[in-house]
């Protein structure tokens, strides 16, 4: 079986996607993004104007993804522009980032998805000093969306 392989974690708040051209490829295209509008109920007023916790969290997570890639013997390379069309849900203001990861081990996509989805929440929580009870394991994308919607209702002011 040949064709594009994709590892995806997508909901209305965030996405992390790794794609390869075929099942034997060790080159991955990593795209990530946060819907700034969806996070506003819990971030608005809890940060400086130029340092949105969701955006900064995404940037820090992407540095961590680079470190994971390097630790696995891969080479991450920055990509300019946005190649996230078709990934981003239709509504909201999205900030996206992307990398090309060459020489990726087979285990990297699952490691990246788990790391990115859990660490983003931790980084946002630390930045806004919310002190919310974060999930202790990776939730599926739909359940994480429900959790985040509840946080927004509870702490949204």
């Amino acid at each position: 079986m040949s064709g594009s392989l994709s590892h995806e974690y997508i909901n209305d708040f965030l996405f992390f996607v790794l794609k390869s051209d075929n099942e034997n490829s060790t080159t991955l295209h990593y795209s990530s993004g946060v819907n700034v509008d969806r996070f506003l109920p819990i971030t608005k007023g809890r940060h400086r104007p130029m340092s949105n916790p969701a955006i900064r969290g995404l940037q820090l997570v992407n540095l961590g993804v680079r470190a994971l890639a390097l630790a696995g013997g891969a080479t991450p390379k920055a990509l300019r522009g946005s190649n996230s069309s078709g990934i981003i849900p239709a509504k909201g203001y999205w900030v996206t980032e992307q990398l090309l990861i060459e020489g990726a081990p087979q285990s990297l996509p699952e490691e990246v998805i788990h790391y990115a989805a859990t660490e983003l929440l931790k980084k946002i929580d630390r930045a806004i000093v919310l002190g919310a009870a974060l999930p202790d394991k990776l939730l599926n994308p739909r359940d994480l969306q429900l959790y985040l919607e509840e946080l927004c209702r509870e702490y949204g002011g």
Side-chain angles (χ1 to χ4, degrees):
M1 174 176 142
S2 67
S4 179
L5 292 179
S6 182
H7 299 268
E8 301 179 346
Y9 192 94
I10 302 171
N11 63 35
D12 291 344
F13 283 81
L14 51 85
F15 71 85
F16 302 100
V17 175
L18 291 102
K19 291 184 177 186
S20 64
D21 291 336
N22 63 61
E23 64 187 47
N24 297 319
S25 178
T26 61
T27 299
L28 300 171
H29 182 265
Y30 166 76
S31 296
S32 61
V34 292
N35 183 335
V36 177
D37 293 336
R38 290 302 304 261
F39 279 102
L40 276 179
I42 58 174
T43 61
K44 188 175 181 180
R46 292 185 168 102
H47 60 85
R48 294 184 206 141
M50 297 304 292
S51 182
N52 181 290
I55 296 170
R56 186 66 182 140
L58 182 67
Q59 293 167 339
L60 293 172
V61 163
N62 285 336
L63 290 174
V65 168
R66 287 173 180 262
L68 280 175
L70 288 168
T75 304
K77 295 182 178 181
L79 294 175
R80 296 192 188 272
S82 177
N83 190 17
S84 300
S85 59
I87 296 172
I88 301 173
K91 294 182 180 179
Y93 168 62
W94 287 85
V95 173
T96 63
E97 295 206 3
Q98 59 182 336
L99 295 171
L100 187 67
I101 302 172
E102 296 176 336
Q106 280 188 324
S107 62
L108 189 64
E110 290 302 320
E111 289 176 52
V112 165
I113 295 290
H114 185 272
Y115 168 82
T118 57
E119 281 299 310
L120 179 64
L121 294 182
K122 291 176 187 175
K123 291 182 184 322
I124 292 171
D125 185 62
R126 276 186 228 124
I128 61 178
V129 194
L130 199 57
L134 298 177
D136 57 355
K137 63 178 182 153
L138 178 64
L139 302 176
N140 68 51
R142 182 181 176 280
D143 288 345
L144 181 64
Q145 179 168 321
L146 293 173
Y147 169 81
L148 290 170
E149 287 170 347
E150 180 57 33
L151 273 185
C152 288
R153 278 191 295 276
E154 186 176 341
Y155 295 100

